């Protein structure tokens, strides 16, 4: 098994945990850990994306009707907001690499502002859904405006409405879960901003920031898929 | 490496390094966390086992005369949920895996010790919620939660049970994440992939399934919870949903889940057989690769649970064919283990007896999988006791025997004490006999047509049911015995010494019980795995009367 | 069929024998494989048990063996796969010209309707030697229609139709089970398949004695009209549960209390807004003009029968076989 063991008299570098041999091992472990975690998140959202795609394929008209009623300007604004927030995250890591603490903190604060803006806009969107009776459940109904240009056999109307409800069920489930991840992200960044302000990160060590940034980018990418799938496809139904 | 009798009772080790409840509840030592898990899963084993006993008692007579129908439905549901999610899935990975993975690869701890502790707390939170559900009304959907019964018809605590399992799922995910990163990044110098013990290969494959599969059950159960709580219509046909979609999503995880349950046990067997044959395992590369193959192919066969569910003829064909493919790597393992004994030097210690039992029962269980994968035959036996017998042969005859074998094998390392060998062998025999008597009649019952989840049944099924119940009482005794003598050994057992079995593996190089950080110095590995040529056998298998 | 230690049910359909043949082959294959492996282990463990003076021999492995014991089992598995697939094709391909029977599964009974219009509950009478195709759906949750003697089973889903077919080869009475867990009385959702000689079957058809008691017809009608959508058996839904309601006082929205007698039940069906139960909305559809007197009688008898002990008890209304009068609820 072991012939001549190394005498392990390593002293711990700052931020190094005792069970790691050196900082490099620790950094690689943390990085691999975050990527694996993101893979699990992919599978997590993936289940819903799968359900959504199957239903969209089965019920294109119903889902098109649902899609049309979503607020495109607000959705687009949110997309822009999130992309900007990913930019500020990336820039904040660069700032840390350059040792610029204040800039790092400012950029992190901006990131959180963008994140909160996203959530506020989402809140307005959901409120609009509530007012238009598009929340699945007992009070759900499609208005004539919603059904404009679509021919639905009156006999089939109940089924049609039921299937459109499925669109909204998935809409709320997917955007809701995404929003929850955003909230967690903002909470995470509160801590990272505080730690950055305290001077814990610098060119030598910024792993938590990097991994937090990875998480944020992931949540952003999920939205980048959500937006076209929910808002953009089949907006212009030609039926 | 000679084994000397070291009396370690006074030496500092991970057990006596700190005292006090806080030192245990706030520990980051992977070995202590393993013991925390051991205590918790044992508790849930009792709960699930109690439900099993109630089921078997009810089934002594054809009429539903012990409990009400609704109660019976809750009993089998909670038996399944607790045994699958709170006992079997964590069992080997969270106890033996947590304890051994760092030691086997020459590391001081797992990559993320605090996340390890968090994973135990998530398990406890999920488990507490589950127990609350059990004690305040229970759930009656079957462990499979099929919709629309679970979302729109059951009057029981579906949301609570679903959330409990959801939370528990994150415990699995974090454990899997920890193991994968640890194996990738923290192997000692010289510990190349092909020198890893096969237990590590199995645990690694299991961890991949944890990572990729568990999130899918998480989202599926979350959607069931949402549907029930907010009256959404994702799986409910009355609201435009599709109940079959639920089944696909559910089984996408739950089939790989059965590989989560068996792969670690296979890893344990791969450690025990070489040790008690005193030779390197036959076909190391093939056994290692077969673990990976099982993990990969295991993700491709889920709809073999749905052959009569209303899927198309053609998808049924595809899933049946793939199911036969996934059977091959398991068969390969059995052959390799058998071949390991050829020209070996075999001793019949308790772990070895469990290994024999495992091979026997897993072979039978696996062969009956062939019956189920055959489309035309599955139509007849699906949802009957044949399926119940099949999966219990694998999960109990396989996984639990593997777990018990592993507990006996590593008990000296974990506790520093020897358990009484004669009692160990007796318990192994009792478990084997009790198990077969309980579950073999169920194959016949199933082919005769007795459906699953039946509270009452036609009288012609009674004789076989009585046999099965009788067997279950014997099995229960077999399970209680180790709990008694392991506890006894903590105080009265002979001190074990570093390596009572003369086994290969870095974990056996340390003292028993190990110190908190496992190794005083990180070893450099220069030998291949299972280097039994250079390890002398112990004088005799340690025997304690 | 039921000797002392049966190992399989009666073989009573055209493909049952095929299924059993594959089963027996697999049993023999398993016995052989187990014998081979267990014997090998036994021999190795005893022949190579530890003895002083003999060391274990170190063998890495053998690629040839690995290839052999991967390819050969794979070959055997593929044979089994094809064999199973062929039988499955048979089972899932109804022949042309099969007689159709409509089946509706609901918690917790089977309702069947023959082409000729004859309706049955929990029983299916069929002639020997004729192809029968079942067209099935569920009114609530997923059930499964299982006839062990025919070796056929098919899940029955809400919102869609599934089909199954068989040709009975032996007259006799065989179990019908629900084999997809569906709630409280899943194990009570059982019945019989009665296979008759063609002449007897014709006689049975003509007799029309397939009509069960008033209450069981009422049960069928109750389900057919969609009543369980709101009136669930175990709990309050959009409408009050009717289990145990007959003969009891009912509190109405307007504060009155009335006894739920036959007239009350009849009025609730024909003019539901006349007396609305307290706590419920007046959303029940009007059935005036949709049911005739005979059907009203059946529905009333059914609601009265809900005071009986739960289904699954021997002799309960739902398990009544056609042609016999089950216990009539007291007036």
């Amino acid at each position: 098994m072991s012939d001549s063991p190394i005498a392990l008299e390593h002293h711990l570098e700052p931020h190094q945990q005792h069970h790691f041999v050196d900082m490099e091992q620790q950094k690689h472990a943390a990085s691999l850990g975050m990527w694996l975690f993101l893979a699990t998140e992919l599978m997590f959202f993936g289940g819903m994306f799968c359900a959504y795609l199957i239903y969209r394929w089965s019920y294109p008209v119903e889902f098109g009707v649902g899609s049309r009623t979503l607020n495109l300007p607000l959705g687009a604004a949110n997309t822009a907001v999130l992309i900007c927030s990913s930019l500020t995250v990336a820039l904040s890591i660069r700032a840390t690499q350059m040792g610029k603490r204040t800039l790092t903190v400012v950029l992190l604060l901006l990131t959180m502002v963008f994140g909160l803006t996203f959530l506020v806009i989402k809140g307005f969107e959901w409120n609009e859904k509530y007012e238009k009776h598009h929340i699945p459940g007992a009070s759900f109904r499609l208005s004539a405006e919603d059904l404009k240009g679509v021919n639905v056999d009156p006999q089939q109307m109940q089924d049609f409405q039921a299937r459109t409800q499925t669109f909204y069920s998935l809409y709320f489930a997917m955007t809701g879960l995404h929003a929850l991840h955003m909230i967690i992200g903002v909470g995470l960044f509160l801590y990272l901003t505080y730690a950055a302000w305290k001077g814990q990160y610098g060119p030598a060590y910024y792993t938590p920031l990097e991994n937090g940034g990875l998480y944020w980018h992931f949540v952003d990418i999920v939205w980048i898929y959500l937006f076209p799938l929910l808002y953009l496809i089949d907006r212009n139904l030609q039926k | 490496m000679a084994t000397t009798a070291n009396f370690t009772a006074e030496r500092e080790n991970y057990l006596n390094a700190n005292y006090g409840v806080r030192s245990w509840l706030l520990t980051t030592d992977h070995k202590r966390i393993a013991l925390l898990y051991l205590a918790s899963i044992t508790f849930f084993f009792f709960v699930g086992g109690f439900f099993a006993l109630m089921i078997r008692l009810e089934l002594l007579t054809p009429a539903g005369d012990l409990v009400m129908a609704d109660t019976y439905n809750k009993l089998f549901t909670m038996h399944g949920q607790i045994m699958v999610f709170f006992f079997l899935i964590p069992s080997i990975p969270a106890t033996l895996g947590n304890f051994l993975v760092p030691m086997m690869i020459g590391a001081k701890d797992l990559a993320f010790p605090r996340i390890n502790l968090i994973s135990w707390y998530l398990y406890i939170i999920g488990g507490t919620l589950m127990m609350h559900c059990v004690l305040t009304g229970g759930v009656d959907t079957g462990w499979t939660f099929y919709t629309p019964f679970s979302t729109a018809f059951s009057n029981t605590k579906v949301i609570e049970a679903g959330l409990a399992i959801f939370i528990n799922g994150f415990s699995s995910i974090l454990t899997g994440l920890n193991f994968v990163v640890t194996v990738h990044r923290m192997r000692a110098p010289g510990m190349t992939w092909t020198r890893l013990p096969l237990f590590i290969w199995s645990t690694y494959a299991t961890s991949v399934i944890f990572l990729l599969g568990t999130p899918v059950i998480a989202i599926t159960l979350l959607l069931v919870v949402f549907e029930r709580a907010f009256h959404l219509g994702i799986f409910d046909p009355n609201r435009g949903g599709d109940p079959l979609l639920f089944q696909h999503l559910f089984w996408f995880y739950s089939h790989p889940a059965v590989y989560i349950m068996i792969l670690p046990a296979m890893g344990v067997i791969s450690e025990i057989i070489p040790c008690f044959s005193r030779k390197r395992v036959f076909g190391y590369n093939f056994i290692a690769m077969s673990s990976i193959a099982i993990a990969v192919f295991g993700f491709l066969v889920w709809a073999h649970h749905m052959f009569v569910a209303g899927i198309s003829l053609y998808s049924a064909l595809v899933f049946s064919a793939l199911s036969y493919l996934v059977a091959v790597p398991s068969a390969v393992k059995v052959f390799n283990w058998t071949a390991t004994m050829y020209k070996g030097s075999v001793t019949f210690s308790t772990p070895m007896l469990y290994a024999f039992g495992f091979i026997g029962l897993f072979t039978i269980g696996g062969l009956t999988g062939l019956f189920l994968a055959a489309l035309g035959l599955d139509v007849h036996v699906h949802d009957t006791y044949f399926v119940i017998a099949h999966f219990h042969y694998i999960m109990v005859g396989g996984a639990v025997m593997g777990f018990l074998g592993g507990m006996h094998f590593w008990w000296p390392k974990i506790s520093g004490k020897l358990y009484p060998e004669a009692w160990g062998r007796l318990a192994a025999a009792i478990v084997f006999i009790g198990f077969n008597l309980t579950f073999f009649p169920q194959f016949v019952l199933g082919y005769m047509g007795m459906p699953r989840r039946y509270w009452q049944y036609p009288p012609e099924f009674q004789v076989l049911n009585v046999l099965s119940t009788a067997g279950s009482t014997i099995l229960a005794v077999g399970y209680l015995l180790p709990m008694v003598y392991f506890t006894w050994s903590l105080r009265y057992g002979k001190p074990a010494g570093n390596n009572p079995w003369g086994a290969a593996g870095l974990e056996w190089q340390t003292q028993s019980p190990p110190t908190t950080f496992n190794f005083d110095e990180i070893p450099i590995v220069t030998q291949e795995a299972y280097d039994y040529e250079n390890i002398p056998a112990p004088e005799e298998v340690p025997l304690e009367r | 069929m039921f000797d002392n230690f049966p190992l399989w049910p009666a073989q009573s359909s055209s493909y049952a024998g095929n299924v059993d043949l594959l089963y027996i082959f697999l049993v023999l294959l398993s016995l052989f494989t187990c014998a081979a492996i267990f014997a090998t282990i036994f021999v190795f463990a005893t022949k190579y048990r530890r003895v002083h003076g003999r060391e274990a021999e170190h063998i890495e492995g053998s690629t040839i063996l690995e290839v052999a014991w991967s390819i050969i089992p794979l070959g055997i598995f593929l044979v089994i796969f094809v064999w199973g697939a062929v039988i499955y094709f048979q089972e899932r391909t109804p022949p042309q010209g099969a007689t159709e029977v409509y089946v509706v599964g609901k918690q917790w009974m089977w309702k069947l309707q023959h082409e000729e219009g004859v309706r049955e509950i929990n029983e299916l009478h069929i002639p020997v030697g004729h192809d029968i195709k079942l067209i099935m759906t569920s009114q609530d949750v997923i059930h499964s229609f299982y006839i062990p003697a025919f070796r056929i089973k098919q899940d029955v889903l809400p919102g869609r139709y599934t089909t199954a077919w068989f040709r009975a080869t032996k007259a006799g009475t065989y179990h019908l089970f629900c084999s997809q867990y569906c709630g409280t009385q899943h194990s009570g959702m059982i019945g019989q398949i009665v296979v008759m000689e063609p002449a007897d079957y014709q006689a049975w058809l003509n007799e029309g004695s397939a009509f069960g008691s008033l209450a069981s017809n009422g049960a069928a009608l109750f389900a057919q009209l969609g009543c369980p959508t709101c009136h669930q058996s175990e709990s309050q839904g959009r409408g009050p549960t009717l289990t145990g309601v007959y003969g009891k006082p009912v509190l109405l929205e307007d504060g009155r209390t009335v006894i739920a007698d036959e007239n009350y039940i009849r009025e609730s069906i024909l003019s539901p807004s006349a007396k609305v139960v307290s706590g419920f909305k007046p959303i029940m559809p009007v059935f005036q003009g949709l049911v005739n007197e005979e059907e009203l009688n059946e529905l009333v008898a059914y609601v009265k029968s809900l005071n009986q002990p739960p289904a699954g008890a021997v002799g309960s209304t739902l398990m009544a076989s056609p042609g016999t009068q089950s216990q009539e609820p007291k007036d």
Side-chain angles (χ1 to χ4, degrees):
Chain A
M1 289 298 120
S2 60
D3 278 354
S4 43
I6 298 177
L8 251 180
E9 275 291 323
H10 68 261
H11 71 105
L12 294 175
E13 295 171 52
H15 302 290
Q16 183 186 348
Q17 289 164 39
H18 69 274
H19 55 284
F20 286 112
V21 167
D22 55 27
M23 281 305 286
E24 192 186 332
Q25 188 187 52
Q26 178 172 317
K27 179 169 150 62
H28 280 148
S31 186
L32 179 59
M34 180 47 87
W35 280 103
L36 286 175
F37 176 69
L38 294 181
T40 70
E41 290 275 57
L42 194 66
M43 295 306 288
F44 190 60
F45 277 95
M48 278 195 300
F49 274 87
C50 191
Y52 178 82
L53 288 170
I54 290 173
Y55 281 128
R56 176 169 272 290
W57 181 77
S58 304
Y59 309 137
V61 181
E62 290 87 336
F63 271 50
V65 163
S67 201
R68 270 189 334 191
T69 65
L70 297 183
N71 191 322
L72 187 55
L74 286 185
N78 259 346
T79 310
V81 163
L82 271 192
I83 293 180
C84 288
S85 75
S86 271
L87 178 64
T88 51
V89 166
L91 286 176
S92 77
I93 292 178
R94 175 155 160 67
T96 311
Q97 287 171 326
M98 297 194 296
K100 300 188 172 167
R101 189 176 68 106
T102 320
L103 183 57
T104 303
V105 172
V106 165
L107 287 165
L108 287 175
L109 283 170
L110 261 180
T111 306
M112 286 196 289
V113 165
F114 281 128
L116 287 168
T117 310
F118 176 92
L119 289 168
V120 165
I121 295 179
K122 187 119 279 329
F124 278 117
E125 269 198 85
W126 280 22
N127 184 57
E128 190 187 44
K129 291 270 132 284
Y130 170 73
E131 278 166 8
K132 285 161 106 184
H133 295 280
H134 287 158
I135 303 210
S139 56
F140 178 87
R141 59 173 188 276
L142 291 172
S143 67
E145 167 80 33
D146 296 331
L147 289 167
K148 197 168 67 173
V150 177
N151 273 333
V152 183
D153 182 1
Q155 291 274 39
Q156 305 292 335
M157 179 54 83
Q158 206 185 352
D159 281 343
F160 187 91
Q161 294 238 11
R163 290 188 216 122
T164 315
Q165 268 201 68
T166 308
F167 171 86
Y168 288 106
S169 299
L170 284 168
Y171 168 80
F172 280 108
M174 289 161 91
T175 58
L177 207 57
H178 178 263
L180 178 65
H181 280 78
M182 283 297 301
I183 295 173
I184 293 172
V186 171
L188 200 64
F189 270 69
L190 264 171
Y191 165 75
L192 289 173
T193 312
Y194 175 72
W197 179 61
K198 284 293 218 188
Q200 287 205 18
Y201 308 128
Y205 174 74
Y206 55 91
T207 314
L209 208 51
E210 192 168 49
N211 287 333
L214 272 176
Y215 175 80
W216 192 270
H217 289 314
F218 175 79
V219 178
D220 184 10
I221 289 183
V222 170
W223 177 260
I224 302 224
Y225 275 89
L226 276 182
F227 177 62
L229 281 175
L230 289 172
Y231 291 74
L232 297 182
I233 306 184
D234 280 340
R235 280 197 81 87
N236 303 311
L237 285 170
Q238 299 298 336
K239 288 248 168 96
Chain B
M1 208 79 47
T3 53
T4 49
N6 292 309
F7 293 100
T8 59
E10 304 86 10
R11 289 227 300 236
E12 181 171 313
N13 58 60
Y14 78 101
L15 290 170
N16 62 23
N18 286 308
Y19 288 110
V21 171
R22 285 233 314 222
S23 75
W24 279 89
L25 292 182
L26 294 177
T27 184
T28 53
D29 178 358
H30 64 102
K31 299 182 291 300
R32 285 192 169 201
I33 294 176
L35 291 186
L36 289 174
Y37 267 109
L38 183 62
S40 332
I41 64 163
T42 305
F43 169 76
F44 281 106
F45 182 70
F46 271 115
V47 176
F50 169 72
F51 292 144
L53 207 60
M54 294 297 297
I55 292 170
R56 288 294 351 142
L57 282 176
E58 171 63 79
L59 292 177
L60 272 175
T61 61
D65 45 12
L66 185 68
V67 297
M68 297 194 303
D70 275 328
T71 309
Y72 184 80
N73 295 340
K74 293 177 188 177
L75 287 174
F76 68 69
T77 299
M78 298 187 300
H79 167 73
Q81 287 169 339
I82 287 181
M83 285 305 207
V84 168
F85 293 112
F86 295 95
F87 171 64
L88 274 169
I89 284 176
S91 62
I92 298 178
T95 56
L96 294 172
N98 263 330
F99 195 96
L100 295 168
V101 167
M103 298 186 70
M104 283 181 164
I105 66 173
K108 290 180 154 189
D109 207 312
L110 290 174
F112 308 118
R114 285 169 301 188
I115 289 188
N116 201 9
L117 184 65
I118 290 174
S119 85
W120 181 72
Y121 275 104
L122 285 172
Y123 172 84
I124 291 298
I125 292 171
T128 306
L129 193 56
M130 191 71 205
M131 284 313 296
H132 180 264
C133 171
V134 165
L135 293 169
T136 59
V139 57
D140 72 350
T141 58
W143 84 277
T144 46
F145 285 103
Y146 272 20
T147 62
F149 181 76
S150 62
T151 48
F153 287 84
S154 170
N155 296 320
T156 60
K157 316 194 86 177
V158 180
I159 292 181
E160 205 170 326
L163 286 175
I165 296 170
F166 174 79
I167 293 171
N168 186 50
F170 286 101
S171 170
S172 295
I173 291 175
L174 292 179
T175 300
L177 195 142
N178 230 333
F179 286 161
V180 171
V181 176
T182 305
V183 173
H184 273 280
R185 296 278 178 228
M186 297 181 68
R187 285 168 285 128
M191 177 58 84
T192 59
W193 283 90
T194 53
R195 287 178 179 169
L196 285 171
L198 289 167
F199 180 77
I200 299 290
W201 278 99
S202 303
T203 304
Y204 181 84
T206 307
S207 303
V208 170
I209 307 177
F210 271 142
L211 286 173
L212 297 179
T214 317
V216 179
I217 189 73
I219 191 63
T220 308
L221 287 177
L222 201 61
L223 287 176
V224 166
V225 164
F226 285 167
E227 179 150 326
R228 214 171 142 85
F230 306 124
H231 303 290
L232 305 181
I234 303 176
F235 303 124
D236 183 353
N238 284 332
R239 294 184 216 263
D242 184 1
L244 234 54
L245 178 64
F246 170 81
Q247 292 184 35
H248 280 290
L249 287 172
F250 176 82
W251 287 112
F252 186 82
Y253 164 75
S254 299
H255 187 80
V258 316
Y259 297 113
I260 288 178
M261 295 187 263
I262 197 62
L263 274 170
M266 291 171 156
V268 170
I269 302 306
S270 294
E271 298 300 320
I272 291 177
I273 292 190
C275 177
F276 296 101
S277 308
R278 308 308 306 169
K279 59 188 283 264
R280 180 173 164 81
V281 73
F282 189 96
Y284 173 97
N285 290 340
F286 283 88
I287 298 188
M289 284 302 114
S290 70
S291 295
I292 304 296
I294 291 172
V296 170
F297 280 106
F299 273 101
L300 303 178
V301 298
W302 75 89
H304 68 214
H305 299 268
M306 297 167 63
F307 287 153
V308 297
I311 64 176
S312 78
L313 202 56
Y314 301 102
S315 37
L317 280 175
V318 168
F319 282 104
S320 171
L322 285 166
S323 303
Y324 282 105
L325 274 175
V326 81
V328 174
S330 298
V332 164
K333 283 193 199 247
V334 171
F335 299 140
N336 275 299
W337 290 323
T338 307
T340 304
M341 286 185 268
Y342 177 69
K343 297 204 171 160
S345 175
V346 178
T347 48
F348 300 91
S349 61
T350 305
M352 193 60 163
L353 291 181
Y354 277 108
F356 286 146
F358 175 98
I359 295 181
L361 299 177
F362 173 75
T363 302
I364 296 174
L367 285 167
T368 53
L370 300 177
F371 290 61
L372 292 164
L375 290 163
L377 188 50
D378 184 67
V379 169
H380 177 54
V381 291
H382 173 69
D383 261 337
T384 66
Y385 265 80
F386 194 92
V387 179
I388 296 187
H390 160 76
F391 67 68
H392 281 93
Y393 261 81
I394 312 246
M395 298 208 286
V396 180
V400 177
M401 300 271 287
F403 176 66
L404 288 174
M407 282 305 298
H408 285 77
F409 186 53
W410 281 290
W411 184 254
K413 179 58 57 184
I414 294 172
S415 67
K417 297 295 173 74
L418 296 172
Y419 61 85
E421 182 67 19
W423 283 100
R425 292 171 180 171
L426 177 65
I430 293 177
V431 164
F432 185 80
I433 293 170
F435 175 86
N436 276 307
L437 195 52
T438 310
F439 291 105
F440 198 85
Q442 294 185 8
F443 283 124
V444 182
L445 268 176
Y447 202 77
M448 282 297 298
M450 178 170 171
R452 306 169 63 157
R453 300 168 163 168
Y454 260 39
W455 167 66
Q456 59 190 8
Y457 55 82
E460 66 261 30
F461 295 141
Q462 183 171 21
V463 171
L464 290 167
N465 269 297
V466 170
L467 278 174
S468 179
T469 302
S472 70
T473 56
I474 299 174
L475 188 58
V477 170
Y479 286 142
L480 287 172
L481 280 174
M483 296 188 200
V484 171
Y485 61 69
F486 276 148
T487 314
W488 175 90
S489 77
L490 284 175
R491 185 151 156 123
Y492 300 107
K494 247 182 17 189
N498 288 10
N499 195 354
W501 311 117
L506 288 178
E507 75 271 26
W508 297 105
Q509 303 307 308
T510 65
Q511 63 179 57
S512 304
T515 57
T516 302
F517 298 112
N518 304 333
F519 302 98
D520 295 327
E521 302 134 352
I522 299 285
I524 296 184
V525 177
T526 53
Q527 311 285 46
E528 299 302 313
Y530 309 107
D531 190 32
Y532 284 100
E533 286 176 293
N534 298 322
I535 305 176
E539 281 309 306
E540 56 176 40
V541 170
L543 205 68
E544 177 73 37
R545 286 223 183 272
Chain C
M1 182 163 72
F2 293 115
D3 59 75
N4 279 333
F5 294 107
L7 293 175
W8 49 75
Q11 249 181 33
S12 299
S13 77
S14 53
Y15 47 67
N18 297 347
V19 174
D20 286 351
L21 197 59
L22 176 54
Y23 175 67
I24 291 170
F25 170 74
L26 286 171
V27 168
L28 292 174
L29 178 69
S30 305
L31 279 172
F32 170 77
T33 308
C34 286
I37 294 180
F38 299 169
T40 309
I41 292 179
F42 181 78
V43 165
F44 286 176
T46 43
K47 183 165 173 193
Y48 299 111
R49 71 189 174 286
R50 178 185 167 164
V51 288
H52 278 289
R54 185 180 66 82
E55 295 267 308
E57 216 175 285
H58 294 277
I59 306 171
E60 272 295 312
S62 154
T63 311
I64 294 195
L65 264 182
E66 301 281 359
V67 169
W69 64 41
S70 304
I71 302 279
I72 295 174
L74 183 62
I76 298 175
F77 295 167
L78 290 177
V79 166
I80 305 170
F81 160 68
V82 171
W83 191 342
V86 165
I87 300 178
Y88 188 68
F89 258 95
Q90 275 174 11
E91 287 164 342
R92 284 193 69 168
T93 314
Q96 296 288 356
T99 313
E100 291 177 355
V101 174
Y102 283 84
V103 179
V104 175
K106 82 174 267 299
Q107 285 173 325
W108 289 281
M109 64 199 296
W110 294 104
K111 295 177 318 189
L112 301 100
Q113 181 161 14
H114 292 254
E115 270 178 352
E116 301 85 348
V118 169
R119 288 201 240 122
E120 307 194 61
I121 293 193
N122 293 333
E123 275 201 8
L124 177 62
H125 285 74
I126 51 173
V128 146
H130 285 241
D131 296 335
I132 309 286
K133 173 175 159 182
L134 304 176
I135 301 174
M136 310 188 277
T137 186
S138 162
Q139 271 182 320
D140 38 41
V141 298
I142 303 181
H143 301 275
S144 192
F145 197 88
Y146 178 38
I147 309 169
F150 294 177
R151 312 291 186 275
I152 188 66
K153 168 190 295 115
Q154 175 61 52
D155 278 8
V156 167
L157 273 67
R160 55 180 274 199
Y161 289 107
T162 52
T163 61
W165 84 274
F166 44 79
R167 177 170 53 240
T169 52
K170 278 207 216 88
T173 306
Y174 308 106
H175 283 301
L176 162 65
F177 293 133
C178 172
S179 61
Q180 180 62 250
Y181 173 67
C182 54
T184 309
Q185 281 301 327
H186 166 60
S187 50
M189 193 164 158
I190 68 179
Q192 295 180 320
I193 309 295
V194 181
V195 180
M196 312 169 99
E197 297 300 336
D200 296 332
Y201 177 71
Q202 237 357 87
W204 173 85
L205 262 185
N206 294 339
E207 235 177 281
S209 62
F211 292 102
S213 67
L214 271 182
S216 61
N217 284 347
L221 193 55
F222 186 79
Q224 204 179 323
L225 290 167
C227 311
T229 316
C230 297
H231 295 287
Q232 286 159 21
S233 53
E234 305 274 322
S235 60
Q236 309 292 10
R238 286 191 280 255
T241 180
L242 302 177
T243 309
V245 76
Y246 173 70
K248 302 278 185 309
V250 178
L251 178 63
L252 303 177
E253 274 287 24
D254 55 18
R256 286 182 292 162
T257 301
V258 293
I259 301 291
D261 58 9
E262 281 88 338
N263 281 323
Y264 170 79
I265 298 173
R266 188 194 151 85
E267 187 182 21
S268 301
I269 298 172
L270 296 176
S271 262
S273 52
K275 293 188 176 69
V276 178
V277 177
S278 168
F280 292 91
K281 297 198 179 46
I283 53 172
M284 178 166 167
V286 170
F287 286 91
Q288 176 90 44
L290 292 174
V291 291
N292 61 32
E293 276 306 318
E294 190 189 285
E295 287 165 336
L296 268 175
N297 285 338
E298 290 172 351
L299 286 169
V300 169
Y302 171 67
V303 174
K304 283 163 71 170
S305 79
L306 292 176
N307 283 18
Q308 298 288 330
V314 173
S316 82
T317 323
L318 294 175
M319 308 275 276
S321 50
T324 63
Q325 285 298 315
S326 64
Q327 318 160 323
E328 278 293 356
K330 305 281 171 293
D331 248 14

